[in-house]
Amino acid sequence: MKNKAVAEIFRQIGEILEIQGENPFRIRAYLRAAQSIESLNRDIAKLAAEEKLKEIPGIGKDLAEKIKEIVNTGKLKFYEQLRDSVPEGLTLLMSVPGIGPKSAKLLYEHLKIRNINDLEQQALAHQIRILPGFKEKTEENILRGIALIKKAKERMPLAVALATAEEFTDSLKKIKQVEQIEPAGSLRRRKETVRDIDILVSSRQPKKIMDTFTKLVQVKEILAQGPTKSSVLTKEGIQVDLRVVQPKSFGAALLYFTGCKEHNIKLRQMAAKKGVKINEYGLFKKNKWLAGKKEQDIYKLLKLNPIAPELREDQGELEAALKAQLPELLELTDIKGDLHLHSQWSDGAHSLGELVRAAKVKGYQYIAITDHSQSVRIAHGLSPERLKRQIAAIAKLNKKFKGIKILAGSEVDIKSDGSLDFPDRILKQLDLVIAAVHSGFKQSQEQLTQRITRAMENKYVNIIAHPSGRLLGQREPYALDMEAVLKQAKKTGTWMEISAFPDRLDLIDINCRRAKELGAQMAISTDSHLLSHLDYMYLGVSVARRGWLEKKDVANTLPLEKFLQAVKKKR
Ligand code: DGT
Ligand code: CA
């Protein structure tokens, strides 16, 4: 997929224009386009070929032409000329989260920084705080930005790993000697980021599998090739390990290579206490093989309830399995509606009707349209006047569409003092209200915590969206006393959103679990801006499962009537 490449070029154009002091609207157009292309889960080359580029939010005629040029020729003349007009070190500096064009320019002029390592050295040697306009704090921010870049290079987001793994498993399944195939490792545990992809195959002819694997079109480099284990790098630099085992050992190997390591160690100790031994080949008693074909067989002999891969993090799951106290985890099919959707009325790409039709295909009983509120100008937030018209439009749609309820909602901005972007007399007219922070991320922990907990006190606020504000690989969560926020969620009956959007996945798993312990409820939503984003729901469900959540912990598992009652409960 060329999506990343195109997004990167647009982002850099935006940043160079910023250094050159260009028109802010022009800059923003590029940055916004970059963002929506990056979060697209469709192949941009395909959209270009089908003349569908304009479906992407923020892509007009000019940008569509530029995308076509990149897709067809691999480069963009306009960008190359622009790039030649600024020194390389400068663009590099701007790629560090937290360094804007102005700071980049100053740093470049004073310190002649050429790469990230230079910058890190200078920050560690405290050479930045002595520059005019810089402070100790800037130095810390820069180091944090560098750490983020390094971390993002080491681990990919789950959605990327899943898509890559699927490409490989789809190709490998075509080999007739493959008996079973399953991705293992952190991917199978659905960890939010993944370092490398582990795929497990059972076959009686491993050599044949290995030969095909290392020659797949996705492979750029072979790191290791052996009779039962091979490692390759894809064109995107992702490492994929393939192991082939005998069918008799598939379950045992799957258990072993799913991990996590600490979970495995504890499981082995539990087995040892029962006088048996487990390894990647099976379960043995005095060297006699007793089980190994299926994971289930091994659990059964150990008198453990089967443990879902998402729970295997050594967080008490083995103890719970022994006592038959594992949670009955939420499933994707439990979700009855999506509660956070953007339409063309703000920064979404589609009309209300298109969203409803797509939600019906998903089998949802209800959805909430939650466009932005007036203060979020970049996203074309709705004024009270436009919101009123939208509510009327939704009422019409509810007459037109049967079998699905469309809730008129809003994603209301939480202002810096915790007040909301719309007064109560407007919120009152809505069926569902989501509140979220969109700016002022740098406030102190105390301010941010107060700001959000205050918003939760409002009786019309049903949900706090993407509560921590983090963006995987791009932005750390803002300072927040999450414990206080979760307690407030319980106290006020406000639901915490699990954003299923791939680079958000926010609340994170451990906070979901804590929220559940405190008796708070969650809502899982996609924050869709494109119809294809509706498909991300499964990612949110993965987070919930890793957080030990059950159906009862998630509000949008309720059937329509009960859900409508629950929404009104706070009022
Ligand atoms: P990652 O790749 O860092 O996102 O995380 P994992 O969990 O996929 O780790 P990886 O790829 O190093 O290894 C895959 C699985 O293999 C791991 O989850 C558990 C198992 N494993 C790896 N090394 C060991 C080990 O030293 N002891 C045991 N018991 N299991 C191991
Ligand atoms: Ca791995």
Side-chain angles (χ1 to χ4, degrees):
M1 295 235 277
K2 293 205 167 140
N3 298 31
K4 241 196 152 80
V6 176
E8 192 50 38
I9 290 177
F10 280 4
R11 180 164 302 123
Q12 299 211 5
I13 292 175
E15 288 176 347
I16 297 171
L17 293 176
E18 210 167 338
I19 296 190
Q20 297 178 334
E22 264 282 348
N23 172 347
F25 283 100
R26 197 161 165 232
I27 297 166
R28 217 172 282 149
Y30 279 103
L31 297 180
R32 188 170 161 234
Q35 205 175 14
S36 47
I37 293 167
E38 200 152 48
S39 54
L40 209 61
N41 68 354
R42 286 153 80 194
D43 190 347
I44 196 144
K46 226 178 184 168
L47 288 178
E50 293 166 2
E51 297 286 338
K52 284 185 180 160
L53 289 169
K54 286 186 199 148
E55 284 179 17
I56 308 170
I59 306 295
K61 191 162 159 256
D62 174 54
L63 291 184
E65 286 305 317
K66 290 196 164 77
I67 294 172
K68 276 195 218 155
E69 188 181 331
I70 301 170
V71 169
N72 295 333
T73 68
K75 45 191 189 186
L76 181 65
K77 269 215 189 79
F78 169 71
Y79 166 61
E80 287 180 356
Q81 285 164 357
L82 198 65
R83 193 187 50 195
D84 290 345
S85 68
V86 279
E88 200 180 328
L90 195 53
T91 18
L92 214 119
L93 275 169
M94 285 191 310
S95 69
V96 179
I99 301 188
K102 269 198 211 114
S103 311
K105 210 167 164 185
L106 278 171
L107 285 169
Y108 182 77
E109 279 162 6
H110 286 289
L111 299 172
K112 296 274 170 284
I113 287 165
R114 315 227 165 268
N115 54 45
I116 302 285
N117 282 342
D118 274 3
L119 179 66
E120 190 172 23
Q121 299 283 320
Q122 300 279 11
L124 288 170
H126 303 313
Q127 292 304 299
I128 290 172
R129 62 178 69 172
I130 54 178
L131 298 178
F134 289 86
K135 291 180 286 202
E136 219 176 299
K137 194 109 190 151
T138 336
E139 233 164 44
E140 286 165 22
N141 285 343
I142 287 172
L143 286 172
R144 224 175 289 135
I146 294 173
L148 264 175
I149 291 184
K150 288 191 173 166
K151 210 165 94 190
K153 270 204 188 127
E154 278 166 21
R155 304 189 66 88
M156 69 197 111
L158 177 61
V160 174
L162 283 167
T164 309
E166 200 177 316
E167 281 180 29
F168 276 89
T169 51
D170 282 352
S171 307
L172 292 171
K173 272 177 197 162
K174 292 187 188 130
I175 313 173
K176 71 172 190 299
Q177 288 86 354
V178 166
E179 294 190 19
Q180 284 154 289
I181 181 162
E182 190 79 51
S186 51
L187 177 85
R188 184 162 180 248
R189 303 197 310 279
R190 300 289 189 262
K191 231 178 125 135
E192 61 183 30
T193 59
V194 169
R195 185 176 50 90
D196 58 21
I197 295 171
D198 307 276
I199 299 175
L200 190 69
V201 159
S202 72
S203 173
R204 285 162 230 261
Q205 277 168 273
K207 189 172 177 309
K208 166 90 188 138
I209 316 282
M210 285 308 174
D211 289 346
T212 315
F213 172 62
T214 50
K215 290 194 191 88
L216 290 175
V217 288
Q218 297 92 326
V219 174
K220 187 178 155 214
E221 196 184 326
I222 302 172
L223 298 174
Q225 182 167 7
T228 59
K229 186 190 162 184
S230 297
S231 290
V232 299
L233 275 187
T234 68
K235 291 179 184 126
E236 292 81 24
I238 297 171
Q239 185 176 332
V240 183
D241 293 355
L242 178 72
R243 288 182 185 81
V244 185
V245 299
Q246 292 297 315
K248 196 181 162 184
S249 296
F250 187 72
L254 190 57
L255 202 55
Y256 182 90
F257 291 112
T258 298
C260 70
K261 194 170 153 187
E262 292 72 21
H263 171 97
N264 284 354
I265 293 170
K266 205 172 253 179
L267 184 66
R268 230 167 351 189
Q269 288 167 349
M270 284 173 107
K273 271 194 202 145
K274 290 195 184 325
V276 294
K277 194 180 115 187
I278 50 169
N279 58 27
E280 60 266 51
Y281 302 103
L283 184 148
F284 300 84
K285 187 159 193 171
K286 295 196 178 128
N287 291 333
K288 186 171 179 277
W289 182 95
L290 292 183
K293 244 184 161 146
K294 289 192 258 160
E295 283 187 329
Q296 305 274 8
D297 302 343
I298 297 175
Y299 284 129
K300 208 167 170 186
L301 286 178
L302 293 175
K303 298 207 162 48
L304 290 171
N305 280 2
I307 304 171
E310 294 93 329
L311 296 183
R312 300 182 197 170
E313 295 288 351
D314 188 22
Q315 295 296 319
E317 70 281 5
L318 285 161
E319 294 78 357
L322 195 60
K323 289 189 256 172
Q325 284 174 356
L326 283 169
E328 205 171 299
L329 294 181
L330 177 79
E331 310 259 1
L332 180 59
T333 48
D334 292 331
I335 301 293
K336 297 291 182 277
D338 196 334
L339 304 178
H340 190 159
L341 306 175
H342 294 274
S343 75
Q344 277 166 352
W345 285 72
S346 68
D347 58 349
H350 300 278
S351 68
L352 297 175
E354 286 172 306
L355 280 168
V356 178
R357 267 187 287 272
K360 278 198 76 154
V361 172
K362 291 246 169 271
Y364 288 148
Q365 298 179 11
Y366 47 87
I367 54 168
I369 303 294
T370 54
D371 278 309
H372 286 285
S373 62
Q374 52 194 358
S375 291
V376 189
R377 291 219 177 79
I378 308 181
H380 202 46
L382 272 63
S383 64
E385 184 48 43
R386 287 179 65 222
L387 182 64
K388 204 169 146 191
R389 276 195 279 136
Q390 191 187 43
I391 294 173
I394 290 173
K396 261 198 195 149
L397 282 181
N398 270 315
K399 291 212 180 85
K400 183 170 159 197
F401 287 96
K402 295 288 160 235
I404 188 161
K405 166 85 182 165
I406 308 139
L407 281 79
S410 173
E411 179 179 5
V412 183
D413 188 46
I414 303 174
K415 297 207 256 191
S416 60
D417 62 353
S419 64
L420 295 167
D421 201 13
F422 288 135
D424 282 2
R425 69 180 157 75
I426 290 175
L427 298 180
K428 203 167 123 182
Q429 300 166 34
L430 292 163
D431 300 319
L432 179 124
V433 175
I434 301 181
V437 167
H438 294 102
S439 58
F441 302 130
K442 293 220 168 99
Q443 286 183 326
S444 70
Q445 170 164 329
E446 202 188 341
Q447 281 172 316
L448 270 157
T449 308
Q450 260 193 20
R451 184 173 167 194
I452 293 178
T453 49
R454 185 180 159 204
M456 292 162 91
E457 268 160 25
N458 185 299
K459 65 177 177 179
Y460 299 109
V461 171
N462 300 104
I463 302 174
I464 298 295
H466 37 76
S468 87
R470 71 96 179 254
L471 292 174
L472 275 171
Q474 299 162 57
R475 193 167 74 208
E476 293 283 13
Y478 32 71
L480 201 61
D481 180 350
M482 191 52 89
E483 180 75 9
V485 172
L486 298 179
K487 280 186 176 143
Q488 178 78 332
K490 162 69 182 163
K491 191 176 149 206
T492 58
T494 312
W495 303 327
M496 301 305 280
E497 182 181 83
I498 300 173
S499 175
F501 205 77
D503 49 11
R504 288 201 182 267
L505 304 186
D506 172 17
L507 283 182
I508 59 168
D509 45 18
I510 49 171
N511 289 333
C512 290
R513 193 164 173 197
R514 182 64 188 142
K516 175 186 176 167
E517 274 169 12
L518 291 168
Q521 272 196 314
M522 270 47 72
I524 308 179
S525 302
T526 58
D527 203 344
S528 286
H529 290 71
L530 282 173
L531 295 183
S532 56
H533 292 169
L534 289 165
D535 295 338
Y536 290 140
M537 188 59 89
Y538 76 96
L539 286 170
V541 172
S542 294
V543 174
R545 288 169 65 87
R546 286 179 56 84
W548 291 54
L549 299 192
E550 306 183 275
K551 204 171 159 180
K552 66 171 170 47
D553 303 312
V554 178
N556 50 327
T557 59
L558 290 171
L560 178 63
E561 287 310 319
K562 289 216 165 104
F563 178 75
L564 292 177
Q565 285 164 16
V567 168
K568 288 200 191 99
K569 217 169 140 190
K570 225 182 136 178
R571 295 192 175 181

